[in-house]
Amino acid sequence: MNVYDFDNTLYKGESAFDFYIYCVCKKPSLLKLIFPIIKDLIKYKACRMSVEEFYRRAVYYTEIFFGIFEDIKKEVCIFWDKNEHKIKNFYKEMQKDDDVVVSANADVLLDEALKRMGIKNRISTKFNLETGKLEYICFSDVKAKLFRENYGGKIDNFYTDSENDAPLMALAENVYMVKGAKIVKYK
């Protein structure tokens, strides 16, 4: 089984950040959050922010973004119409029916992209559209825990852009780092 991270692995960039920019264009009042979001993202990617702090900040931002529109699913479709071109080409050549995407990204944003890519299996952050609240964020140890619960514990090949995915790396026979279009065996 091949398992993929999404942002900066299958997608060029951070799709949640791109969605934020999309939201700002529609609701300029969200612009005030740009510098805190960038700062938090850099700290997390550099492993300089605790998991607990990242979780707290992500809950705050996600609930704002997804709560701002009456029909969030419609907005997500429009977003992907504009950003689908940022899906990296290498994946089409490697794609298999049992591929799994494991991402910290919210299901509300990720599901439309995966549907367009033909990916049926995913583990991601769970956002409840009815309550407007995050149920859980899927990152770090939570990614590995949910993967084991849903798919067992064996990963043949894992593709990621970050050592923040160490818990999933530990489950994989082979690990590949994806930097842009370049894929390098890590383990």
Side-chain angles (χ1 to χ4, degrees):
M1 173 179 292
N2 294 328
V3 177
Y4 298 85
D5 180 34
F6 187 74
D7 290 319
N8 291 306
T9 302
L10 296 177
Y11 180 82
K12 295 175 195 167
E14 295 285 339
S15 59
F17 181 76
D18 290 348
F19 185 70
Y20 167 71
I21 298 300
Y22 168 84
C23 291
V24 165
C25 290
K26 295 235 172 181
K27 306 280 186 180
S29 64
L30 289 173
L31 189 59
K32 65 185 175 194
L33 296 176
I34 194 155
F35 293 113
I37 289 171
I38 291 171
K39 182 179 173 186
D40 290 349
L41 187 57
I42 290 169
K43 281 183 172 180
Y44 174 70
K45 285 293 186 176
C47 299
R48 292 190 346 237
M49 177 182 281
S50 73
V51 170
E52 294 79 15
E53 180 64 10
F54 178 74
Y55 181 86
R56 187 181 69 74
R57 302 293 290 172
V59 166
Y60 173 73
Y61 297 134
T62 303
E63 290 179 358
I64 290 172
F65 298 162
F66 291 134
I68 197 165
F69 298 106
E70 286 185 35
D71 188 350
I72 190 63
K73 287 185 177 185
K74 176 184 169 191
E75 296 300 332
V76 166
C77 284
I78 294 168
F79 168 79
W80 283 113
D81 288 344
K82 295 178 180 186
N83 289 278
E84 188 173 359
H85 70 279
K86 293 181 80 175
I87 301 295
K88 295 181 182 182
N89 292 326
F90 79 84
Y91 179 70
K92 292 174 191 170
E93 299 166 12
M94 303 169 63
Q95 188 168 5
K96 295 186 176 166
D97 285 342
D98 65 345
D99 288 346
V100 179
V101 168
V102 181
S103 177
N105 218 322
D107 54 357
V108 176
L109 185 58
L110 196 57
D111 284 350
E112 181 64 23
L114 298 183
K115 181 176 88 175
R116 293 175 186 212
M117 295 172 71
I119 299 172
K120 300 173 200 128
N121 305 304
R122 67 122 173 98
I123 296 172
S124 61
T125 294
K126 176 70 176 145
F127 184 80
N128 186 321
L129 287 173
E130 290 180 21
T131 65
K133 300 289 183 190
L134 277 176
E135 292 183 9
Y136 60 82
I137 293 182
C138 179
F139 66 96
S140 192
D141 292 336
V142 175
K143 283 183 174 183
K145 176 184 176 281
L146 291 171
F147 182 82
R148 282 190 300 274
E149 288 173 3
N150 288 280
Y151 297 100
K154 185 178 181 302
I155 298 172
D156 295 321
N157 301 297
F158 178 57
Y159 298 83
T160 185
D161 68 307
S162 172
E163 291 181 8
N164 284 331
D165 282 327
L168 280 175
M169 290 175 174
L171 300 177
E173 185 175 323
N174 301 294
V175 176
Y176 298 90
M177 282 290 176
V178 179
K179 300 295 180 192
K182 188 176 180 181
I183 301 171
V184 177
K185 186 162 185 173
Y186 182 80
K187 167 183 136 179

